[in-house]
Amino acid sequence: QALVAHEGAADVSRRLAGGGAEVMADADPAPEGLNRDAAAAVVAALASVTQRRGAGASGGSQQELEQRWPLVLDLVDAAADLSEHGALLMPSGFAAMLDLCDRTLELGRVASMVGPTWAYHKRIDWITAVALHANATLRKAYQPLLDSHVEGTRALLEVHTTFPSIGAGGANWVLDMRRVLAEWEAAHPGFTARLSGGNCQAADTRSAVLNSMWRYLGIIVALIMVVVFFTFRSVLVPLRLALALFVTLGATYGAGVIIYQTPLLHGIFPWLAPFDGLTYEVVPMVSGICIALGLDYDIFLVSRVVEFRKQGFSDRASVFRGATKAGGVISGAGLIMSLAFSGLCFSDKLLMQQFGVLLVISVMFDTFVVRTVLVPALMLIAQDWNWWPRQMPPVLFDSLEGDVGPSDDDHGYRPMLNGG
């Protein structure tokens, strides 16, 4: 009974670093376990028991006991050394940390762990730890582990994961691990657990950034709509612009999810397999640039349409002619921008690579789908409502192509037949 440790409080923390994690156990001051005086008392008690049983014991049993007596003393001494850390390295502490290791393995995606209770792929319970500490040869291997992973009432457990620490996989694993630690605390009263370190901070930062993205997008798009409204004096143009911007963003991040978070392209690009989602840093970076480029291309197109409409062309003819005249400029600008960003797609840095891929997708989709197909289609559907409440000149021409010149018969205007 003298070897049973008092219950103590332990504080276990975890730090992700470079594709792995480190668990540091930090114990609050706890009652001492088995100190040197207690060990001496145990030895005296064992000696007393031996003397009492020695009279009735056979010579062979007495001799066997005397031969094993040094081993008993070594084990007691090893237990006393471990008890210097309080309950952390006593049976109750080992049981709690082993349960933490088991829960971590059940969470999944763990390659190996290193700590006082786990050596890569092998469990180390309290009895094994005492035996390793008592053997002079094995102690040379186990003692450095204790020296580097245990300090006072604190212990460290390294966890090596099967995915890169950067990216959505690392942050998601941290959030899942926090739920596991909360359950572990409930199962082990007196022990507490917390997560700390680089990737834990990244997970908190990711949550803060992504939670603020809708507010960021709302404010930016609202300000853009106000500027566009006063520029074109139309209600529908800024609303249609906002819709086009969100369509571009949705298509961009949808393609990013397909590329980096699903195995659909692993057969064509095997090097995508280790990736585990988009990094949160690219979301605000790509969103701002996508909105800026989409706004520029939209202004190019709508300005040309307004120019033709003010010349007296019908809405249908203005949209057709504006898309024809501005389409070449928009397509050329999109291709140049895509080529400028394409070098980032071959970067060894995950953030830079995803940044380049998403920008190229956004520019190409906005150039060849949104501004050349979606926007003209929406403007053709709206017709006169495109300019409300602005009053446009009366329709004089409905020609989709060809030149329109002055004529003496119509006082300076020569309306052309539809399609002629």
Side-chain angles (χ1 to χ4, degrees), residues 26 42 54 121 229 248 294 345 377:
D26 183 7
V42 172
H121 304 287
F229 171 78
T248 300
C345 300

Side-chain angles (χ1 to χ4, degrees), residues 147-415:
D147 293 340
S148 60
H149 290 73
V150 179
E151 180 180 359
T153 57
R154 300 184 178 188
L156 184 70
L157 176 65
E158 300 179 34
V159 179
H160 304 278
T161 56
T162 59
F163 53 86
S165 60
I166 189 173
N172 291 338
W173 192 87
V174 168
L175 298 179
D176 293 337
M177 189 62 197
R178 284 175 175 170
R179 289 191 290 268
V180 170
L181 291 180
E183 297 174 356
W184 178 79
E185 288 181 349
H188 297 276
F191 290 86
T192 59
R194 60 183 175 87
L195 294 178
S196 63
N199 222 37
C200 298
Q201 296 175 359
D204 295 334
T205 304
R206 185 190 72 166
S207 299
V209 170
L210 296 183
N211 290 337
S212 63
M213 279 303 299
W214 287 112
R215 183 169 60 254
Y216 161 76
L217 292 176
I219 294 174
I220 294 300
V221 173
L223 292 176
I224 291 174
M225 291 175 63
V226 171
V227 174
V228 173
F229 171 78
F230 284 105
T231 301
F232 294 101
R233 290 176 290 170
S234 168
V235 173
L236 197 59
V237 169
L239 292 176
R240 195 263 314 139
L241 171 61
L243 175 62
L245 292 177
F246 283 115
V247 168
T248 300
L249 289 175
T252 301
Y253 291 120
V257 169
I258 293 176
I259 295 173
Y260 291 103
Q261 294 184 204
T262 66
L264 295 179
L265 299 180
H266 291 178
I268 304 176
F269 306 104
W271 51 270
L272 289 173
F275 293 102
D276 197 87
L278 296 171
T279 59
Y280 74 90
E281 295 94 338
V282 303
V283 176
M285 297 167 58
V286 172
S287 297
I289 296 178
C290 288
I291 291 175
L293 293 178
L295 176 62
D296 286 345
Y297 296 159
D298 195 276
I299 295 300
F300 293 160
L301 176 60
V302 176
S303 297
R304 292 295 285 170
V305 173
V306 172
E307 180 182 345
F308 283 107
R309 184 64 186 86
K310 292 172 67 175
Q311 292 177 2
F313 287 92
S314 66
D315 293 293
R316 185 172 69 99
S318 299
V319 172
F320 182 85
R321 288 174 175 268
T324 302
K325 296 295 184 180
V329 177
I330 294 175
S331 300
L335 287 175
I336 293 173
M337 194 67 68
S338 298
L339 291 175
F341 291 137
S342 61
L344 296 174
C345 300
F346 304 97
S347 174
D348 294 332
K349 300 296 183 180
L350 176 62
L351 175 61
M352 294 293 101
Q353 182 192 118
Q354 293 184 351
F355 181 60
V357 170
L358 292 181
L359 283 181
V360 171
I361 293 174
S362 174
V363 172
M364 297 297 287
F365 183 82
D366 193 85
T367 301
F368 295 101
V369 177
V370 175
R371 305 306 158 191
T372 57
V373 177
L374 178 62
V375 172
L378 293 176
M379 296 188 73
L380 287 174
I381 294 174
Q383 294 288 325
D384 293 338
W385 288 99
N386 284 313
W387 323 115
W388 186 86
R390 180 179 183 178
Q391 296 296 323
M392 284 295 186
V395 176
L396 301 175
F397 312 104
D398 195 28
S399 175
L400 301 183
E401 57 184 356
D403 297 330
V404 178
S407 173
D408 296 336
D409 298 335
D410 52 23
H411 305 286
Y413 294 98
R414 182 169 56 87

Side-chain angles (χ1 to χ4, degrees), residues 69-84:
W69 184 250
L71 176 60
V72 173
L73 296 180
D74 291 340
L75 293 175
V76 172
D77 191 61
D81 290 339
L82 292 176
S83 68
E84 292 179 354

